[in-house]
Amino acid sequence: MADAKGIDWILGNMKDEIVERGEWHGQPFVTVKPGAIRAVAKAFRDDLGFAMLEDLTAVDYLDRPEVAGRFRVVYHFLCLARRELVRVKTVADGSDPEVPSIAGIYPGADWLEREVYDMFGIRFTDHPDLRRILMAPDWEGFPCRRDYPWQGHIPIHDPMREKDFARGVPGEHKE
């Protein structure tokens, strides 16, 4: 269920910050400039009652030249009291894309921003602990980028598997 009140707030109070506005499968969305995302997130939490950041992810538009800006960071804010969900996006572009962190506003954004950083390479400025969360610390590249090379053998080192193998855990075969 989309929230017109939240979209209307952005349209009324941050007209200069809007990049695009639209609707997808019945849900309106708005894309704002990266510098406005903190103000938008704070207003959604404090003024509009969207107490929960339901999700945060990214999309790589590398193969879509008609879309301005390579990446979109996508936020879904939820108001449980009114059962309303609103989608807000922001653009992240360049060789080292950056977006301001909203972890100080929505603490649940902490690990979600780390996941987006780990998979897409989008840095969240002023994040309290921006480091890899899914891939090994020495992993090179960002697997969810559309230009990530998927050829060749990728060695996986799992120390727990080696311990299970040595102990003879069922399902693991001794050599």
Side-chain angles (χ1 to χ4, degrees), residues 102-123:
I102 65 164
I105 300 163
Y106 287 95
D110 185 348
W111 283 27
L112 296 171
E113 289 176 349
R114 285 180 61 192
E115 181 180 348
V116 168
Y117 163 69
D118 200 5
M119 296 288 104
F120 290 92
I122 299 170
R123 296 189 177 280

Side-chain angles (χ1 to χ4, degrees), residues 52-65:
M52 183 176 174
L53 172 67
E54 201 242 354
D55 194 21
L56 186 160
T57 190
V59 180
D60 183 353
Y61 287 109
L62 178 66
D63 58 348
R64 301 270 310 272

Side-chain angles (χ1 to χ4, degrees), residues 55-111:
D55 194 21
L56 186 160
T57 190
V59 180
D60 183 353
Y61 287 109
L62 178 66
D63 58 348
R64 301 270 310 272
E66 72 276 14
V67 176
R70 178 169 176 182
F71 298 99
R72 294 290 185 278
V73 178
V74 184
Y75 306 83
H76 290 104
F77 298 106
L78 180 64
C79 176
L80 292 170
R82 295 188 309 271
R83 299 177 69 182
E84 293 175 341
L85 179 70
V86 66
R87 180 181 306 145
V88 177
K89 301 187 275 184
T90 193
V91 179
D93 203 9
S95 60
D96 191 19
E98 289 185 343
V99 173
S101 173
I102 65 164
I105 300 163
Y106 287 95
D110 185 348
W111 283 27

Side-chain angles (χ1 to χ4, degrees), residues 9-168:
W9 180 89
I10 294 172
L11 295 173
N13 292 306
M14 305 191 88
K15 292 176 189 164
D16 296 338
E17 302 299 325
I18 295 173
V19 174
E20 67 179 337
R21 175 187 185 190
E23 187 175 301
W24 191 77
H25 288 277
Q27 183 182 39
F29 67 87
V30 64
T31 304
V32 298
K33 294 177 184 174
I37 195 62
R38 281 191 182 134
V40 168
K42 189 166 178 2
F44 269 67
R45 185 194 65 189
D46 297 345
D47 303 332
L48 300 172
F50 287 83
M52 183 176 174
L53 172 67
E54 201 242 354
D55 194 21
L56 186 160
T57 190
V59 180
D60 183 353
Y61 287 109
L62 178 66
D63 58 348
R64 301 270 310 272
E66 72 276 14
V67 176
R70 178 169 176 182
F71 298 99
R72 294 290 185 278
V73 178
V74 184
Y75 306 83
H76 290 104
F77 298 106
L78 180 64
C79 176
L80 292 170
R82 295 188 309 271
R83 299 177 69 182
E84 293 175 341
L85 179 70
V86 66
R87 180 181 306 145
V88 177
K89 301 187 275 184
T90 193
V91 179
D93 203 9
S95 60
D96 191 19
E98 289 185 343
V99 173
S101 173
I102 65 164
I105 300 163
Y106 287 95
D110 185 348
W111 283 27
L112 296 171
E113 289 176 349
R114 285 180 61 192
E115 181 180 348
V116 168
Y117 163 69
D118 200 5
M119 296 288 104
F120 290 92
I122 299 170
R123 296 189 177 280
F124 290 86
T125 56
D126 298 324
H127 188 279
D129 184 21
L130 192 62
R131 59 188 162 101
R132 291 203 181 266
I133 192 169
L134 299 173
M135 307 304 290
D138 59 346
W139 191 269
E140 292 183 19
F142 305 102
C144 285
R145 285 190 174 190
R146 292 194 181 263
D147 56 359
Y148 185 78
W150 284 105
Q151 298 86 17
H153 175 70
I154 300 172
I156 303 294
H157 174 71
D158 183 356
M160 292 308 296
R161 182 175 169 84
E162 291 170 10
K163 288 179 184 178
D164 289 344
F165 186 83
R167 290 191 322 229

